Amino acid sequence: MNRPLLSMRTTLVFLLAALAGAAVGALTAFAGEGTPRGALAALAAAGLSVRFFDRLIAAEPGAGGPRRSAGSGAGEGAGHG
């Protein structure tokens, strides 16, 4: 079992999300909202950042090609509708 627990891409996504959450939490707390609201804002920002950075960072080679959303089928386009 010599493979890493997380891939480099996953680690980077989680690291960037944690940094974004920490920044939002600190800015919220410094704005005078208090620690509980700062913590909630940090958790919300980190949760949303995971999805954002997951889509932003390119997929690893051999991961199966580009991701497509559920609504990007061939039937949607100019002239279909």
Side-chain angles (χ1 to χ4, degrees):
M1 191 148 140
N2 292 331
R3 63 185 181 95
L5 182 62
L6 296 174
S7 69
M8 185 67 77
R9 180 177 176 272
T10 303
T11 304
L12 183 62
V13 167
F14 284 152
L15 175 66
L16 290 173
L19 290 174
V24 167
L27 289 174
T28 303
F30 288 146
E33 291 295 325
T35 305
R37 285 191 181 195
L40 287 175
L43 289 173
L48 292 172
S49 295
V50 168
R51 183 170 177 128
F52 172 75
F53 288 122
D54 180 47
R55 291 187 175 265
L56 182 69
I57 298 172
E60 296 173 352
R67 294 184 179 177
R68 296 175 59 176
S69 63
S72 64
E76 296 180 5
H80 291 99

